Amino acid sequence: MKEVMIPNGSIAVEAEYTEQIIPDYKGNPFIESLPNLLSAQEAIERLAFYPEFNKSERLLDSHYRIHMVDRLFQVFQPLPMSIELERKISRAIRQGYLSRNPFSSKLAQGFNRDYHENTSNLINNKDFYSTSLGFSLIGISGLGKTSSLNRVLTLYPQIIVHSEYQEIPFSMYQVVYLKLECPHDGSIKGLLYEFFAEIDRLLGTNYHEKVMRTRPTVDVMMVVMNQVVRNCALGILVMMRYNI
Protein backbone atom coordinates (compact mmCIF):
# COMPACT_ATOMS: atom_id res chain seq x y z
CA MET A 1 0.00 0.00 0.00
CA LYS A 2 1.19 3.50 -0.85
CA GLU A 3 1.68 5.76 2.15
CA VAL A 4 0.44 9.36 2.22
CA MET A 5 0.80 12.12 4.78
CA ILE A 6 -2.37 13.71 6.11
CA PRO A 7 -1.98 17.51 6.49
CA ASN A 8 -1.40 18.24 10.21
CA GLY A 9 -2.10 14.57 10.89
CA SER A 10 -0.31 11.24 10.70
CA ILE A 11 0.67 8.78 7.98
CA ALA A 12 -2.08 6.91 6.13
CA VAL A 13 -2.25 4.46 3.22
CA GLU A 14 -4.16 4.72 -0.02
CA ALA A 15 -7.10 2.34 -0.35
CA GLU A 16 -6.65 -0.80 -2.43
CA TYR A 17 -9.84 -2.79 -2.89
CA THR A 18 -9.91 -6.58 -2.85
CA GLU A 19 -12.71 -8.82 -4.11
CA GLN A 20 -14.43 -10.48 -1.15
CA ILE A 21 -15.34 -14.15 -0.90
CA ILE A 22 -17.97 -13.64 1.80
CA PRO A 23 -21.13 -12.24 0.13
CA ASP A 24 -21.95 -9.98 3.10
CA TYR A 25 -18.66 -8.13 2.63
CA LYS A 26 -18.98 -7.45 -1.10
CA GLY A 27 -19.63 -3.92 -2.35
CA ASN A 28 -18.47 -2.29 0.88
CA PRO A 29 -15.31 -0.17 0.33
CA PHE A 30 -14.59 -0.03 4.08
CA ILE A 31 -14.28 -3.82 4.16
CA GLU A 32 -12.75 -4.34 0.73
CA SER A 33 -9.87 -1.96 1.62
CA LEU A 34 -8.90 -4.04 4.68
CA PRO A 35 -6.13 -6.67 4.56
CA ASN A 36 -7.21 -10.15 3.50
CA LEU A 37 -8.65 -12.57 6.03
CA LEU A 38 -5.99 -14.84 7.54
CA SER A 39 -6.00 -18.54 8.26
CA ALA A 40 -4.62 -19.70 11.60
CA GLN A 41 -1.26 -20.57 10.04
CA GLU A 42 -1.06 -17.23 8.20
CA ALA A 43 -1.91 -15.38 11.41
CA ILE A 44 0.88 -17.21 13.26
CA GLU A 45 3.40 -16.30 10.55
CA ARG A 46 2.32 -12.66 10.48
CA LEU A 47 2.22 -12.22 14.25
CA ALA A 48 5.44 -14.02 15.19
CA PHE A 49 8.57 -11.92 15.60
CA TYR A 50 12.08 -13.17 16.35
CA PRO A 51 15.04 -10.76 16.43
CA GLU A 52 17.98 -11.46 14.16
CA PHE A 53 20.91 -13.33 15.65
CA ASN A 54 24.47 -13.79 14.45
CA LYS A 55 26.74 -16.37 16.08
CA SER A 56 29.70 -14.03 15.72
CA GLU A 57 28.10 -11.76 18.33
CA ARG A 58 29.06 -14.31 20.98
CA LEU A 59 32.69 -13.23 20.54
CA LEU A 60 31.98 -9.61 21.40
CA ASP A 61 32.93 -8.15 24.77
CA SER A 62 30.39 -8.39 27.57
CA HIS A 63 29.58 -4.67 27.59
CA TYR A 64 28.28 -5.09 24.03
CA ARG A 65 26.49 -8.40 24.59
CA ILE A 66 24.55 -7.09 27.59
CA HIS A 67 22.78 -4.68 25.26
CA MET A 68 21.97 -7.44 22.79
CA VAL A 69 20.28 -9.46 25.52
CA ASP A 70 17.51 -6.85 25.49
CA ARG A 71 16.43 -8.26 22.14
CA LEU A 72 14.68 -10.99 24.08
CA PHE A 73 12.03 -8.45 25.06
CA GLN A 74 11.18 -8.06 21.35
CA VAL A 75 10.36 -11.74 20.85
CA PHE A 76 6.71 -12.49 20.19
CA GLN A 77 5.54 -16.09 20.01
CA PRO A 78 1.84 -16.36 19.10
CA LEU A 79 -0.21 -18.40 21.54
CA PRO A 80 -3.72 -19.81 21.04
CA MET A 81 -4.95 -16.67 22.83
CA SER A 82 -3.25 -14.53 20.17
CA ILE A 83 -4.93 -16.38 17.30
CA GLU A 84 -8.33 -16.13 18.97
CA LEU A 85 -7.78 -12.41 19.55
CA GLU A 86 -6.86 -11.88 15.90
CA ARG A 87 -10.11 -13.56 14.85
CA LYS A 88 -12.21 -11.55 17.29
CA ILE A 89 -10.74 -8.24 16.13
CA SER A 90 -11.07 -9.22 12.48
CA ARG A 91 -14.76 -10.05 12.95
CA ALA A 92 -15.47 -6.99 15.10
CA ILE A 93 -14.06 -4.58 12.51
CA ARG A 94 -15.82 -6.13 9.54
CA GLN A 95 -19.15 -6.75 11.23
CA GLY A 96 -19.21 -3.15 12.42
CA TYR A 97 -18.88 -1.93 8.84
CA LEU A 98 -21.81 -3.99 7.54
CA SER A 99 -24.39 -1.42 8.64
CA ARG A 100 -22.18 1.52 7.62
CA ASN A 101 -21.66 0.97 3.93
CA PRO A 102 -21.06 4.51 2.58
CA PHE A 103 -23.02 3.67 -0.57
CA SER A 104 -26.06 2.63 1.44
CA SER A 105 -28.89 5.07 2.16
CA LYS A 106 -28.88 3.94 5.82
CA LEU A 107 -25.63 5.76 6.51
CA ALA A 108 -26.97 9.10 5.26
CA GLN A 109 -30.16 8.53 7.24
CA GLY A 110 -28.06 7.94 10.32
CA PHE A 111 -26.23 11.25 9.89
CA ASN A 112 -29.50 13.09 9.43
CA ARG A 113 -31.12 11.39 12.39
CA ASP A 114 -28.21 12.14 14.72
CA TYR A 115 -28.22 15.78 13.69
CA HIS A 116 -31.91 16.42 14.23
CA GLU A 117 -32.64 14.24 17.22
CA ASN A 118 -31.72 15.31 20.72
CA THR A 119 -30.09 13.06 23.30
CA SER A 120 -33.37 12.23 25.02
CA ASN A 121 -34.73 10.23 22.12
CA LEU A 122 -31.48 9.26 20.46
CA ILE A 123 -31.80 5.71 21.75
CA ASN A 124 -35.29 5.27 20.28
CA ASN A 125 -34.07 4.37 16.79
CA LYS A 126 -36.23 1.31 16.23
CA ASP A 127 -35.54 1.28 12.47
CA PHE A 128 -31.79 0.91 12.83
CA TYR A 129 -30.02 -2.39 13.48
CA SER A 130 -26.40 -2.20 14.49
CA THR A 131 -24.10 -5.03 13.43
CA SER A 132 -21.27 -3.94 15.73
CA LEU A 133 -19.58 -6.52 17.94
CA GLY A 134 -17.69 -5.99 21.18
CA PHE A 135 -15.73 -8.06 23.66
CA SER A 136 -13.58 -7.77 26.78
CA LEU A 137 -10.06 -9.04 27.30
CA ILE A 138 -9.40 -9.72 30.98
CA GLY A 139 -6.43 -11.37 32.62
CA ILE A 140 -3.71 -11.08 35.21
CA SER A 141 -0.73 -8.80 34.68
CA GLY A 142 2.06 -10.27 32.58
CA LEU A 143 -0.18 -12.66 30.66
CA GLY A 144 0.57 -10.93 27.36
CA LYS A 145 -2.75 -9.19 26.74
CA THR A 146 -1.30 -5.84 25.71
CA SER A 147 1.50 -7.38 23.65
CA SER A 148 -0.96 -9.60 21.78
CA LEU A 149 -3.38 -6.75 21.22
CA ASN A 150 -0.69 -4.39 19.91
CA ARG A 151 0.71 -7.10 17.67
CA VAL A 152 -2.69 -7.91 16.17
CA LEU A 153 -3.42 -4.24 15.49
CA THR A 154 -0.19 -3.93 13.50
CA LEU A 155 -1.80 -6.23 10.92
CA TYR A 156 -4.04 -3.31 9.95
CA PRO A 157 -3.24 0.16 8.63
CA GLN A 158 -4.64 2.62 11.14
CA ILE A 159 -5.85 5.11 8.52
CA ILE A 160 -6.97 4.42 4.96
CA VAL A 161 -7.50 7.22 2.44
CA HIS A 162 -10.29 6.72 -0.10
CA SER A 163 -10.55 8.80 -3.26
CA GLU A 164 -12.43 6.69 -5.79
CA TYR A 165 -14.40 3.44 -5.63
CA GLN A 166 -15.49 1.63 -8.79
CA GLU A 167 -15.03 4.85 -10.81
CA ILE A 168 -17.24 6.75 -8.34
CA PRO A 169 -15.66 9.73 -6.54
CA PHE A 170 -15.33 8.78 -2.89
CA SER A 171 -13.20 11.06 -0.71
CA MET A 172 -12.97 9.93 2.90
CA TYR A 173 -10.61 9.03 5.71
CA GLN A 174 -11.22 5.62 7.29
CA VAL A 175 -9.83 5.10 10.80
CA VAL A 176 -9.60 1.34 11.15
CA TYR A 177 -8.81 1.34 14.88
CA LEU A 178 -8.41 3.80 17.71
CA LYS A 179 -6.76 2.87 20.98
CA LEU A 180 -7.44 4.89 24.13
CA GLU A 181 -6.28 4.55 27.70
CA CYS A 182 -9.12 4.90 30.21
CA PRO A 183 -8.66 7.74 32.74
CA HIS A 184 -7.52 6.57 36.16
CA ASP A 185 -10.57 8.17 37.77
CA GLY A 186 -12.96 6.44 35.36
CA SER A 187 -14.29 9.79 34.13
CA ILE A 188 -16.46 9.59 31.01
CA LYS A 189 -15.70 13.20 30.17
CA GLY A 190 -11.98 12.53 30.42
CA LEU A 191 -12.33 9.60 28.06
CA LEU A 192 -14.28 11.72 25.58
CA TYR A 193 -11.65 14.45 25.67
CA GLU A 194 -8.97 11.86 24.97
CA PHE A 195 -11.03 10.49 22.08
CA PHE A 196 -11.27 13.89 20.38
CA ALA A 197 -7.58 14.61 20.98
CA GLU A 198 -6.52 11.29 19.45
CA ILE A 199 -8.75 11.82 16.40
CA ASP A 200 -7.19 15.27 15.94
CA ARG A 201 -3.69 13.77 16.15
CA LEU A 202 -4.52 11.22 13.47
CA LEU A 203 -6.57 13.31 11.05
CA GLY A 204 -5.38 16.87 11.72
CA THR A 205 -8.84 18.00 12.81
CA ASN A 206 -9.68 20.33 15.71
CA TYR A 207 -12.52 18.58 17.52
CA HIS A 208 -10.76 18.79 20.90
CA GLU A 209 -10.30 22.56 20.62
CA LYS A 210 -13.96 23.07 19.70
CA VAL A 211 -15.16 20.89 22.57
CA MET A 212 -12.90 22.62 25.07
CA ARG A 213 -14.09 26.02 23.88
CA THR A 214 -17.83 25.29 24.10
CA ARG A 215 -17.61 23.13 27.27
CA PRO A 216 -20.63 20.95 26.46
CA THR A 217 -22.23 18.40 28.76
CA VAL A 218 -21.26 14.73 28.63
CA ASP A 219 -24.52 13.90 26.83
CA VAL A 220 -23.80 16.43 24.09
CA MET A 221 -20.20 15.24 23.79
CA MET A 222 -21.40 11.67 23.30
CA VAL A 223 -23.66 12.79 20.45
CA VAL A 224 -20.73 14.60 18.85
CA MET A 225 -18.57 11.53 19.35
CA ASN A 226 -21.17 9.42 17.56
CA GLN A 227 -21.05 11.81 14.61
CA VAL A 228 -17.25 11.74 14.53
CA VAL A 229 -17.22 7.93 14.62
CA ARG A 230 -19.50 7.88 11.58
CA ASN A 231 -17.58 10.64 9.83
CA CYS A 232 -14.21 8.89 10.11
CA ALA A 233 -15.61 5.36 9.65
CA LEU A 234 -14.05 4.09 12.87
CA GLY A 235 -13.71 0.32 12.70
CA ILE A 236 -12.97 -0.57 16.31
CA LEU A 237 -12.44 1.40 19.51
CA VAL A 238 -9.98 -0.21 21.90
CA MET A 239 -10.07 1.01 25.50
CA MET A 240 -7.20 -0.03 27.76
CA ARG A 241 -7.52 -0.16 31.54
CA TYR A 242 -4.63 -1.00 33.83
CA ASN A 243 -5.19 -1.84 37.49
CA ILE A 244 -2.60 -0.39 39.85
Side-chain angles (χ1 to χ4, degrees):
M1 291 185 175
K2 182 180 178 181
E3 292 186 345
V4 294
M5 187 69 186
I6 298 176
N8 301 318
S10 57
I11 298 177
V13 299
E14 291 185 353
E16 295 180 2
Y17 305 107
T18 305
E19 183 69 22
Q20 300 295 298
I21 296 178
I22 300 176
D24 297 351
Y25 296 165
K26 293 183 177 181
N28 190 324
F30 291 154
I31 297 178
E32 292 183 356
S33 60
L34 296 174
N36 293 330
L37 296 174
L38 301 176
S39 66
Q41 184 59 40
E42 289 172 334
I44 291 173
E45 295 174 355
R46 294 284 302 276
L47 291 173
F49 181 78
Y50 308 105
E52 295 183 3
F53 169 72
N54 192 318
K55 290 184 178 180
S56 63
E57 295 174 350
R58 296 176 177 176
L59 304 178
L60 296 175
D61 292 337
S62 61
H63 61 286
Y64 292 115
R65 288 186 284 113
I66 192 64
H67 287 267
M68 297 175 180
V69 171
D70 292 337
R71 292 175 182 168
L72 293 175
F73 295 105
Q74 303 173 20
V75 173
F76 185 84
Q77 172 63 51
L79 301 174
M81 175 190 71
S82 308
I83 307 305
E84 182 64 22
L85 181 61
E86 187 277 328
R87 290 177 174 175
K88 284 181 177 293
I89 291 178
S90 177
R91 291 175 54 218
I93 293 175
R94 289 169 171 81
Q95 289 295 314
Y97 282 138
L98 285 181
S99 60
R100 291 185 289 155
N101 189 328
F103 291 96
S104 170
S105 60
K106 291 183 178 180
L107 187 69
Q109 293 170 0
F111 273 113
N112 183 69
R113 180 175 56 246
D114 290 348
Y115 179 80
H116 290 288
E117 293 185 350
N118 55 43
T119 55
S120 62
N121 60 17
L122 186 63
I123 60 174
N124 296 325
N125 295 326
K126 298 180 180 179
D127 60 335
F128 178 75
Y129 174 72
S130 175
T131 58
S132 299
L133 298 178
F135 62 92
S136 298
L137 183 62
I138 303 173
I140 61 175
S141 179
L143 192 63
K145 303 182 301 299
T146 302
S147 298
S148 296
L149 177 62
N150 291 336
R151 195 67 186 161
V152 171
L153 291 179
T154 61
L155 299 177
Y156 296 88
Q158 188 166 20
I159 310 171
I160 301 175
V161 179
H162 299 267
S163 57
E164 183 180 284
Y165 178 70
Q166 296 182 355
E167 300 183 353
I168 301 175
F170 175 49
S171 180
M172 189 171 185
Y173 291 142
Q174 174 186 355
V175 179
V176 179
Y177 66 88
L178 186 68
K179 189 170 64 172
L180 302 178
E181 192 168 321
C182 295
H184 295 294
D185 60 357
S187 167
I188 297 179
K189 179 173 285 189
L191 182 63
L192 290 169
Y193 279 134
E194 184 179 352
F195 169 82
F196 293 125
E198 185 64 12
I199 288 292
D200 290 345
R201 184 188 69 81
L202 293 175
L203 303 181
T205 51
N206 62 341
Y207 291 115
H208 185 268
E209 179 184 346
K210 291 180 179 179
V211 169
M212 291 292 290
R213 185 170 59 248
T214 57
R215 298 186 179 279
T217 63
V218 171
D219 289 341
V220 173
M221 289 174 64
M222 292 184 69
V223 174
V224 176
M225 177 185 179
N226 186 45
Q227 287 278 24
V228 173
V229 167
R230 290 178 183 270
N231 193 43
C232 69
L234 179 59
I236 187 170
L237 177 62
V238 180
M239 293 185 288
M240 310 288 292
R241 178 64 185 269
Y242 302 96
N243 292 327
I244 300 177

